[in-house]
Amino acid sequence: MVDASPPNGAESDSQTQPQVEQQKSIALVDDDRNILTTLSISLQAEGFATRVYTDGETALKALLDNPPDLAIFDIKMPRMDGLHLLQALREQSSLPVIFLTSKDEEPDEALGLALGADDYITKPFSQRLLVARIRAILRRSELVRATPEEAVQENLPEPVVRGRLRLDPARHLVDWDDKPVSLTVTEFLILEAMALRPGVVKSRNQLMDAAYSDDVYVDDRTIDSHIKRLRRKFRAVDPEFAAIDTLYGAGYSFSDG
């Protein structure tokens, strides 16, 4: 059984499951040790390896030094809450993140998605739903590690080239003028939806459908926040980047001219 009570917020690595090839690791960050224990046992039973952290500051260093495949954050925590943890993490990493929120934290929930979270689960939550969400996000993000040979074997999509943009859906890689741009799973899916049909205006609802599963409901203005983050990331490699157009009242489009 994983020890969900590490001293001073330090991590605890589960060793109860037999090691199998391609075993996915999940980091759990929550100051409630009972939740950590319950989640660890449940996820280990599903074949995942788990690490637990009881505060955001300790978790941040560990997530950057030794990234897991996915992380689950509580929002309300001492020292560094989940929102600040995500914000700091996104400055250096596109690690998939799921938020655990309470029903009275809906504004935080929307802000978390805008900051780059890939999904959220509302407490109290179904273990089955959580596992389903984890598997869906891992499936999308594991293509980052696919080699070109694996892409061919699995009949994965070919790279998409639109002017100075190159999207590789099989490996979740993005280049602009041959310079890499690191995107979260959600940001990638939004950009891909626009780039596949350059010049065609995509409504916020259409972009939400491309980026989120059917059982995730977000305010349409969350898409605006993702677009701002996309522009900021591309302008970090090209200050003149202007390929994402806004048609006010209608939506967004990608211009490859």
Side-chain angles (χ1 to χ4, degrees):
M1 178 185 299
V2 71
D3 177 7
S5 302
N8 301 320
E11 71 170 284
S12 173
D13 294 324
S14 66
Q15 299 295 333
T16 60
Q17 291 295 316
Q19 295 299 308
V20 295
E21 188 177 0
Q22 301 299 324
Q23 184 181 38
K24 303 299 183 182
S25 60
I26 299 177
L28 308 173
V29 190
D30 198 314
D31 62 325
D32 188 325
R33 298 175 186 275
N34 291 329
I35 289 179
L36 288 176
T37 299
T38 300
L39 281 178
S40 292
I41 293 173
S42 175
L43 294 176
Q44 289 170 38
E46 295 290 335
F48 297 106
T50 59
R51 317 173 193 170
V52 302
Y53 307 91
T54 55
D55 71 83
E57 287 186 359
T58 303
L60 178 61
K61 184 178 187 305
L63 295 176
L64 292 174
D65 290 347
N66 184 22
D69 292 292
L70 180 143
I72 300 175
F73 297 168
D74 186 27
I75 288 184
K76 302 299 184 184
M77 296 184 293
R79 297 179 63 187
M80 177 185 286
D81 65 24
L83 293 173
H84 286 94
L85 173 58
L86 177 63
Q87 189 172 29
L89 182 68
R90 282 291 173 255
E91 293 177 357
Q92 303 180 62
S93 171
S94 58
L95 173 73
V97 171
I98 296 176
F99 264 133
L100 292 180
T101 70
S102 299
K103 288 189 178 295
D104 60 354
E105 295 171 343
E106 289 186 1
D108 290 339
E109 171 185 289
L111 179 57
L113 290 171
L115 288 173
D118 293 287
D119 206 341
Y120 68 87
I121 302 287
T122 303
K123 300 176 183 176
F125 55 88
S126 159
Q127 300 280 355
R128 182 185 302 176
L129 174 62
L130 177 60
V131 170
R133 297 275 185 90
I134 289 171
R135 294 195 188 283
I137 291 175
L138 287 176
R139 175 56 189 159
R140 291 186 300 179
S141 62
E142 71 184 358
L143 297 178
V144 176
R145 292 176 290 277
T147 65
E149 292 76 15
E150 291 170 337
V152 171
Q153 292 173 359
E154 296 184 29
N155 197 28
L156 297 175
E158 294 290 325
V160 176
V161 178
R162 297 288 185 266
R164 298 152 71 187
L165 175 72
R166 186 179 188 275
L167 283 166
D168 187 345
R171 296 193 295 156
H172 192 100
L173 298 177
V174 181
D175 290 333
W176 180 260
D177 278 344
D178 296 323
K179 299 174 183 176
V181 182
S182 178
L183 303 182
T184 68
V185 174
T186 302
E187 291 163 353
F188 185 96
L189 292 172
I190 290 173
L191 178 63
E192 182 184 34
M194 293 186 293
L196 286 174
R197 300 192 67 189
V200 175
V201 176
K202 294 283 188 176
S203 69
R204 293 183 180 89
N205 285 336
Q206 288 174 318
L207 294 176
M208 282 191 292
D209 289 343
Y212 294 101
S213 56
D214 293 339
D215 52 359
V216 176
Y217 301 95
V218 299
D219 186 281
D220 60 3
R221 296 299 173 181
T222 299
I223 295 297
D224 297 346
S225 298
H226 285 306
I227 294 293
K228 289 179 182 178
R229 288 179 57 82
L230 279 167
R231 286 173 171 154
R232 186 163 63 246
K233 288 184 174 182
F234 276 93
R235 286 171 183 162
V237 300
D238 177 8
E240 303 301 318
F241 175 84
I244 298 177
D245 300 319
T246 302
L247 183 59
Y248 291 97
Y252 299 96
S253 66
F254 180 84
S255 172
D256 61 352

